[in-house]
Amino acid sequence: MSNDYIFQGWMGLDPSAAEGNMKFQSFDPKTWEETDVDIKVTHCGVCGSDLHTLRSGWGPTLYPCCVGHEIVGTAVKVGGKVENGIKVGDRVGVGAQSRSCLKPDCEECSSDQEHMCSEIVCTYNDQYLDGSKSYGGYSDYARVPSHFVIKIPDAIRSEDAAPMLCGGITVYSPLKKNGAGPGKKVGVVGIGGLGHFGLLYAKALGADRVVAISRTSDKKADSIQMGADDFIATNEDPKWSSNHARSLDLIICTVSSSNMPLQKYLHLLRSNGVFIQVGVPEESMPAFDAFALISKGVKLGGSLIGSPAEIKVVPASAFLIAPNTFDKEMLDLSAKKKVKPWIEKRAMKDVNKVVVDMEANKARYRYVLVNDTSAKL
């Protein structure tokens, strides 16, 4: 079936793309299958992963590459075997994953952990089984398998929903899985795109105390407004790790630095506390003393994005069967608790300037590209 639209977007052709040198050109989307959805992109969040990939920071990038995995838009073509009841005209979104094996005997896919499947295909800079490439949302159109296409609830605006699909779920998932809620004291390291979501969701989940941890106090006022009860500025208090020792049950670390003071972060945990790393440095993680773990029974782990089941709205039929789960998934919780990310809308045509600003840490706290061919600022 022919289309009356062209797949084109802002392409990274070499590592200089991260310096604002992407080129607008056409690309060949994945081979069409009846399980696919074509999306006219209206909004796309700008994630730190985009910059890492554009400059080949995590390994060689499959240039030409169109990044962007916080996609919201309108379904313009749906296959005859689509999942999730998606219809032409629906407002939908896609996060960082576009495929897993989905085999019944896959331990991960059969237990709502598709993001841990060994056959994962990322929304951009990856390849499908037939060799066709995945391209992201810095574009006019995106083609994605329907299992990973999420309907966006009416209560959430497109520009707010977009960054939730990667930035939001990346912190929501480990917060929920590790018991953030009443009775828990939660710390969030790094108050940027991911970290600000950490504060918002820790508060929305009902944590007793939420602590923002950053190098300086520049973001203290914003963090308090986002829901933080306390703020630790590690460069401004020489005794911060001892002054706040054994004060937190759970720490979500969003920073991507190989020089972070990991040993001191672990000092902040109470007995049986949990430290979860979600930021991905381009170099190795820093070393730490084993006694930081064993002396208090501390657990150190990591988390990668989240599954479609953790993102999507629970259907009304599921609510009738299991009402206690209704407000537990991210988009449901966001709508119910009126979680609103701190975003700045930028025109997609200005994306080369946007990525430069992102690299300069100017985002407060997430840039969202608005495709001026599909939506208005």
Side-chain angles (χ1 to χ4, degrees):
M1 181 185 297
S2 61
N3 303 317
D4 58 359
Y5 46 87
I6 299 172
F7 286 85
Q8 53 190 356
W10 292 94
M11 310 292 286
L13 306 181
D14 57 48
S16 72
E19 301 167 7
N21 292 312
M22 287 175 282
K23 307 297 182 183
F24 190 77
Q25 62 185 52
S26 62
F27 59 86
D28 294 324
K30 74 175 292 294
T31 306
W32 174 260
E33 297 176 86
E34 287 301 310
T35 52
D36 288 343
V37 178
D38 280 356
I39 302 169
K40 186 177 184 180
V41 178
T42 61
H43 298 78
C44 186
V46 179
C47 181
S49 301
D50 302 347
L51 275 66
H52 289 292
T53 301
L54 287 172
R55 64 171 171 255
S56 291
W58 288 334
T61 292
L62 300 173
Y63 301 111
C65 175
C66 182
V67 298
H69 56 204
E70 297 179 340
I71 303 168
V72 171
T74 304
V76 294
K77 179 182 177 181
V78 300
K81 299 179 181 179
V82 296
E83 301 180 36
N84 302 322
I86 296 167
K87 303 181 298 297
V88 169
D90 284 346
R91 190 168 59 114
V92 296
V94 180
Q97 181 179 9
S98 61
R99 185 194 179 275
S100 67
C101 76
L102 298 179
K103 296 174 182 176
D105 59 349
C106 173
E107 180 178 351
E108 289 77 22
C109 291
S110 61
S111 60
D112 290 333
Q113 298 184 93
E114 296 96 324
H115 57 302
M116 300 182 190
C117 175
S118 62
E119 296 184 22
I120 185 174
V121 172
C122 297
T123 300
Y124 62 71
N125 192 44
D126 213 337
Q127 288 184 297
Y128 293 93
L129 294 180
D130 67 353
S132 59
K133 290 174 61 176
S134 59
Y135 294 95
Y138 290 13
S139 59
D140 289 342
Y141 293 89
R143 176 171 293 168
V144 182
S146 59
H147 186 83
F148 296 93
V149 177
I150 309 295
K151 286 187 177 182
I152 305 300
D154 293 340
I156 304 177
R157 299 187 306 179
S158 294
E159 59 263 38
D160 293 335
M164 292 177 180
L165 298 174
C166 175
I169 192 61
T170 294
V171 293
Y172 171 85
S173 178
L175 282 168
K176 182 186 173 187
K177 287 178 178 176
N178 290 281
K184 295 290 186 178
K185 298 177 181 178
V186 178
V188 178
V189 179
I191 311 305
L194 292 179
H196 102 285
F197 268 119
L199 299 179
L200 294 171
Y201 282 127
K203 202 66 176 181
L205 288 164
D208 283 2
R209 187 170 179 80
V210 180
V211 179
I213 305 168
S214 188
R215 287 175 295 180
T216 72
S217 56
D218 291 351
K219 299 177 181 177
K220 180 176 180 177
D222 287 351
S223 297
I224 299 302
Q225 194 172 342
M226 292 171 192
D229 300 291
D230 198 2
F231 190 96
I232 300 173
T234 60
N235 284 358
E236 298 174 8
D237 178 5
K239 298 182 179 180
W240 63 269
S241 64
S242 57
N243 288 342
H244 299 276
R246 295 178 178 259
S247 63
L248 300 172
D249 299 293
L250 170 64
I251 295 174
I252 304 295
C253 183
T254 71
V255 299
S256 298
S257 171
S258 59
N259 297 316
M260 61 180 168
L262 179 56
Q263 177 95 12
K264 291 185 176 181
Y265 291 152
L266 296 174
H267 289 169
L268 304 180
L269 289 170
R270 302 169 70 187
S271 295
N272 301 309
V274 178
F275 183 98
I276 300 295
Q277 180 69 26
V278 298
V280 185
E282 294 182 3
E283 295 85 25
S284 299
M285 292 280 288
F288 61 92
D289 192 318
F291 282 106
L293 301 181
I294 64 178
S295 63
K296 295 182 294 183
V298 165
K299 297 178 180 64
L300 175 64
S303 185
L304 173 71
I305 55 172
S307 71
E310 291 176 286
I311 300 173
K312 66 179 62 171
V313 173
V314 178
S317 57
F319 173 61
L320 293 174
I321 295 170
N324 291 334
T325 69
F326 182 62
D327 65 351
K328 296 301 192 294
E329 302 310 332
M330 184 186 69
L331 293 180
D332 278 324
L333 182 74
S334 299
K336 182 176 180 179
K337 298 290 187 178
K338 295 181 171 56
V339 174
K340 179 172 173 39
W342 290 33
I343 65 164
E344 180 182 344
K345 293 187 288 183
R346 304 283 296 268
M348 189 174 289
K349 62 182 175 61
D350 297 330
V351 66
N352 278 318
K353 177 67 165 63
V354 175
V355 296
V356 171
D357 289 347
M358 179 79 169
E359 181 67 21
N361 295 316
K362 294 182 179 180
R364 293 293 183 272
Y365 282 82
R366 202 70 160 181
Y367 289 136
V368 177
L369 303 176
V370 180
N371 192 340
D372 49 9
T373 67
S374 306
K376 295 181 179 179
L377 282 171

